[in-house]
Amino acid sequence: MSDCIFCKIVAGQIPSDKVYEDDEVLVFHDIHPFARVHFLIIPKMHIATLSDCTSDQQGLLGKMLLLAPRLAKEAGLDTGFKTLINTGRGGGQEVFHVHIHVFGGGDPVRRS
Ligand code: AMP
Ligand code: ZN
């Protein structure tokens, strides 16, 4: 996990555009947004994939999921949004630190 890019973001070693943070969870804008609004909800602890989660993470995963509608609304996605969890290589996962994509709002806006 020492070379995990999201652990480095949690540790402040790589900058991120933060949306929300508490003691267990960090939320930041995706660097390559799919849509006008696109952020990632991650646990601060390193868990590689959804398949690696156990019942020990039930509360944490519930907290992450419940943040999605709240933060989507705060980001102006009043009419709805999409969620995505890519799991494993076969699921298209590129960063092996579990995360929920939350996105919506039409055409992508690239940040410079
Ligand atoms: P996934 O395919 O579900 O593993 O998606 C990983 C996501 O992480 C992609 O949408 C990337 O654009 C995003 N990403 C990778 N590096 C960073 C970074 N440094 N800051 C923000 N988002 C990132
Ligand atoms: Zn990690």
Side-chain angles (χ1 to χ4, degrees):
M1 76 181 75
S2 57
D3 60 352
C4 171
I5 191 165
F6 286 179
C7 281
K8 287 181 179 169
I9 287 175
V10 169
Q13 293 162 2
I14 293 176
S16 68
D17 188 3
K18 279 183 203 173
V19 174
Y20 172 88
E21 181 173 17
D22 66 26
D23 54 338
E24 294 179 306
V25 176
L26 181 65
V27 184
F28 51 93
H29 289 284
D30 195 292
I31 207 165
H32 295 127
F34 301 161
R36 184 173 57 75
V37 174
H38 182 184
F39 54 81
L40 304 173
I41 303 175
I42 75 167
K44 287 192 168 176
M45 70 180 292
H46 181 85
I47 307 166
T49 81
L50 188 59
S51 297
D52 295 300
C53 292
T54 68
S55 56
D56 288 350
Q57 280 86 50
Q58 190 166 310
L60 176 62
L61 290 170
K63 181 189 213 179
M64 289 166 60
L65 208 49
L66 287 171
L67 274 170
R70 178 181 140 194
L71 297 178
K73 193 167 185 190
E74 286 176 13
L77 299 176
D78 295 321
T79 59
F81 58 90
K82 295 178 191 290
T83 49
L84 174 69
I85 306 175
N86 293 325
T87 302
R89 264 180 303 173
Q93 187 172 359
E94 292 178 358
V95 177
F96 281 75
H97 180 129
V98 70
H99 51 280
I100 304 173
H101 295 258
V102 178
F103 55 101
D107 294 337
V109 174
R110 300 279 174 193
R111 290 179 190 81
S112 55

